[in-house]
Amino acid sequence: MAKKVKQEVALVEPEAPVDIPTGALEITDDIEQDLVKYEGAGTSTKAEDNLIPIVNLLQDLSPQVKDRNPEYVEGAKPGDFYIKGLNLLIPGEDGFKFQPCAFRTAVNEWVPRDDGGGFVASYEEMPEDAVQTVNDKGKKITKSPRGTDYIDTRYHSGFLEYQDIRIPAVLSFSSTGHTVSRGWMVLLNNTIVEVKGIRRKAPSWFKKYKIKSKIKQKKNQEWFMCDIVPAEFVQSRDQREEGKTLYEAFEVGDKTIDHSTAESTKDEDAPF
């Protein structure tokens, strides 16, 4: 029987874009004393309180690009990147830098968009009740007896950098996006650093990548996919430490993916 990983966690989305503070705190004697005495006070280390949002690559059917939809985001267009909850919109042609830190795969269960959409659960492997079928466009899909969709998904978690923002985020790849994710993994597996004459494969968080969107066409269909190219090695020791810490947090379960920030799509939308 497939192991269920996580149930949906509902979050309240802010009505306006979040102002993410980036300025440094001036350390005075009293601040230093409070930091030592009350470090972490008022916060939670539970996994359910430490969710990492998913970066959505908007498609033609995404509600954020439809001006009459309640989820419409002003200025959003297909090919842009969007993080729900933070209400952060990034133009696809600008893109962002990403420092990958952790990787995992899962089978996610979704309510079809035509039935209202929504995340149901995540599994480590395909559930035993999965049934292969064909949709009205002749494409093979996997369904549950409840009519929900099972979708194989690949997750790359790390730090997103855009303008003066640096935040933990997750890139999810399903359907045709698997090809993009596997291509990225080739780049990761071939990042070699020579140390004292010995060639070693670097941890994923040793390098940043530039991610933009590009259009993909097949027959009479077109959709947007990620275009991922190496940017630079991470020279900052602090950022490498952050990357290692995020990797370890995912490994022990202190951090988890916030599926409520994912865009529910039909498989033929070819989401990434």
Side-chain angles (χ1 to χ4, degrees):
M1 182 175 181
K3 181 181 177 181
K4 185 180 292 188
V5 178
K6 175 182 178 291
Q7 289 296 126
E8 180 180 13
V9 179
L11 297 180
V12 177
E13 298 183 12
E15 296 181 355
V18 174
D19 181 15
I20 303 176
T22 57
L25 177 66
E26 181 181 352
I27 305 300
T28 59
D29 289 341
D30 62 311
I31 288 179
E32 182 179 1
Q33 292 171 8
D34 285 347
L35 285 173
V36 172
K37 183 176 181 180
Y38 299 106
E39 182 176 1
T43 66
S44 170
T45 58
K46 293 181 179 179
E48 59 265 31
D49 294 324
N50 287 272
L51 304 175
I52 308 299
I54 290 175
V55 183
N56 294 285
L57 178 52
L58 302 181
Q59 306 290 339
D60 288 339
L61 297 181
S62 298
Q64 290 81 13
V65 304
K66 299 183 178 296
D67 57 7
R68 294 189 177 183
N69 191 292
E71 295 186 47
Y72 172 69
V73 175
E74 185 175 358
K77 61 185 184 300
D80 288 346
F81 298 97
Y82 180 67
I83 301 181
K84 291 183 179 180
L86 296 180
N87 202 14
L88 176 61
L89 182 68
I90 301 175
E93 61 270 21
D94 294 344
F96 53 88
K97 286 185 179 180
F98 194 81
Q99 178 190 7
C101 303
F103 173 78
R104 67 176 287 255
T105 61
V107 176
N108 293 329
E109 183 177 357
W110 289 89
V111 175
R113 173 181 283 160
D114 291 345
D115 296 330
F119 175 77
V120 178
S122 187
Y123 308 89
E124 292 183 346
E125 57 188 28
M126 188 63 71
E128 296 178 357
D129 63 1
V131 177
Q132 291 282 338
T133 184
V134 177
N135 64 16
D136 56 4
K137 293 186 178 180
K139 190 171 184 177
K140 292 182 180 180
I141 58 174
T142 306
K143 306 284 289 187
S144 77
R146 299 169 295 283
T148 52
D149 296 322
Y150 287 135
I151 300 178
D152 281 304
T153 308
R154 298 165 64 90
Y155 293 107
H156 295 260
S157 304
F159 286 93
L160 178 151
E161 297 179 356
Y162 176 66
Q163 296 179 349
D164 61 348
I165 294 172
R166 176 177 165 87
I167 55 173
V170 178
L171 296 174
S172 67
F173 297 83
S174 60
S175 186
T176 56
H178 283 196
T179 302
V180 177
S181 173
R182 291 192 178 100
W184 193 2
M185 190 57 68
V186 171
L187 295 176
L188 292 169
N189 285 330
N190 284 279
T191 301
I192 306 299
V193 178
E194 186 170 316
V195 181
K196 297 181 179 180
I198 300 176
R199 290 168 57 82
R200 300 184 184 277
K201 185 164 72 172
S204 63
W205 57 86
F206 268 43
K207 203 167 193 177
K208 295 178 184 178
Y209 295 80
K210 183 68 175 183
I211 301 179
K212 297 182 180 181
S213 67
K214 65 179 180 181
I215 198 164
K216 178 78 172 180
Q217 296 177 321
K218 184 177 181 180
K219 295 182 180 180
N220 62 339
Q221 287 186 306
E222 63 179 32
W223 63 94
F224 285 91
M225 300 180 69
C226 283
D227 183 30
I228 303 173
V229 297
E232 73 261 359
F233 279 102
V234 179
Q235 299 295 337
S236 166
R237 182 175 182 177
D238 288 344
Q239 290 186 358
R240 291 197 305 272
E241 284 296 316
E242 288 177 345
K244 181 178 67 175
T245 299
L246 186 60
Y247 163 79
E248 293 173 342
F250 270 103
E251 285 293 295
V252 300
D254 287 344
K255 296 284 187 182
T256 190
I257 298 168
D258 185 5
H259 293 92
S260 71
T261 60
E263 169 67 18
S264 175
T265 58
K266 294 171 65 176
D267 193 48
E268 60 264 32
D269 293 340
F272 83 113

